[in-house]
Every structure is written in structure tokens, then in C-alpha cells.
Amino acid sequence: MVSGKVTVLNQVGIHLRPAERFCTKALEFSSKITICKGTGRYNAKSVISVLSACVKYGEEMILECDGKDEEQALKALETAVMGGLGEQIIPLEQEKVM
């Protein structure tokens, strides 16, 4: 099993269109893929489950992939989320240290 943390940069978070794109990408892999947010665990291959995670702009989620193609799945999904899942991304403002 591999896992990685990713920050959602879509201005309105993961709503229906991005959730559908995320699930479509997840379904390309045979690995079991889970979104972890807070105490919840959500099936990344189910649009309803992904929507239930209620991931908003700027929030982090952990992706867990377990299976033969786990490394490829994790990389592809991290890239998709960081790319906005077809939506405009808004980079988080960096805090200036003085």
C-alpha cells in the first residue's frame, strides 16, 4: 500500500464534475483506492462516496492505493487533483516569514 497527501486547489472544491473526473481516473486502475479525510474513509471509485467526503478548496486529503498498480494510481490521481480535475485552480497564498 502507498499513500500521499494532496491539497485541493479548485476554487469550489470537489463538486460533481471534478468528482466524476476523479472517479473516471481511479477506475483506470485495478488497485483499491481510498480517500481519507478527517476520520472518514471514502471509496475513490464511487462518485457518491467522493462527494460525501465534502472536500473544499484548500483542504488536504490522503489518497491510499493498494494493489498491483498502486504506484501508478497514486501518481495519476495526485497529478489530476493538483491539476484541478478540469476546473480552474487557485494557488494557496504563501505566508511570508519576516
Side-chain angles (χ1 to χ4, degrees):
M1 181 174 75
V2 296
S3 64
K5 189 182 294 185
V6 66
T7 302
V8 173
L9 299 176
N10 315 24
Q11 185 176 12
V12 293
I14 299 183
H15 56 88
L16 185 57
R17 276 189 309 267
E20 184 273 330
R21 290 181 181 119
F22 184 87
C23 292
T24 298
K25 180 59 70 178
L27 286 165
E28 294 176 11
F29 302 96
S30 63
S31 292
K32 178 180 178 185
I33 304 169
T34 305
I35 296 171
C36 302
K37 181 179 168 261
T39 58
R41 297 176 59 80
Y42 306 90
N43 177 0
K45 295 183 179 183
S46 162
V47 173
I48 298 296
S49 188
V50 172
L51 289 172
S52 296
C54 297
V55 185
K56 296 175 178 57
Y57 170 77
E59 292 184 335
E60 293 181 334
M61 61 182 180
I62 297 171
L63 302 176
E64 291 181 349
C65 303
D66 188 17
K68 291 188 287 186
D69 53 3
E70 60 191 23
E71 294 281 347
Q72 297 89 342
L74 180 61
K75 183 175 180 175
L77 291 169
E78 286 176 331
T79 300
V81 172
M82 290 186 294
L85 295 164
E87 303 283 317
Q88 180 180 0
I89 61 168
I90 299 176
L92 296 173
E93 292 182 7
Q94 300 295 317
E95 293 182 8
K96 294 182 180 178
V97 177
M98 295 186 182

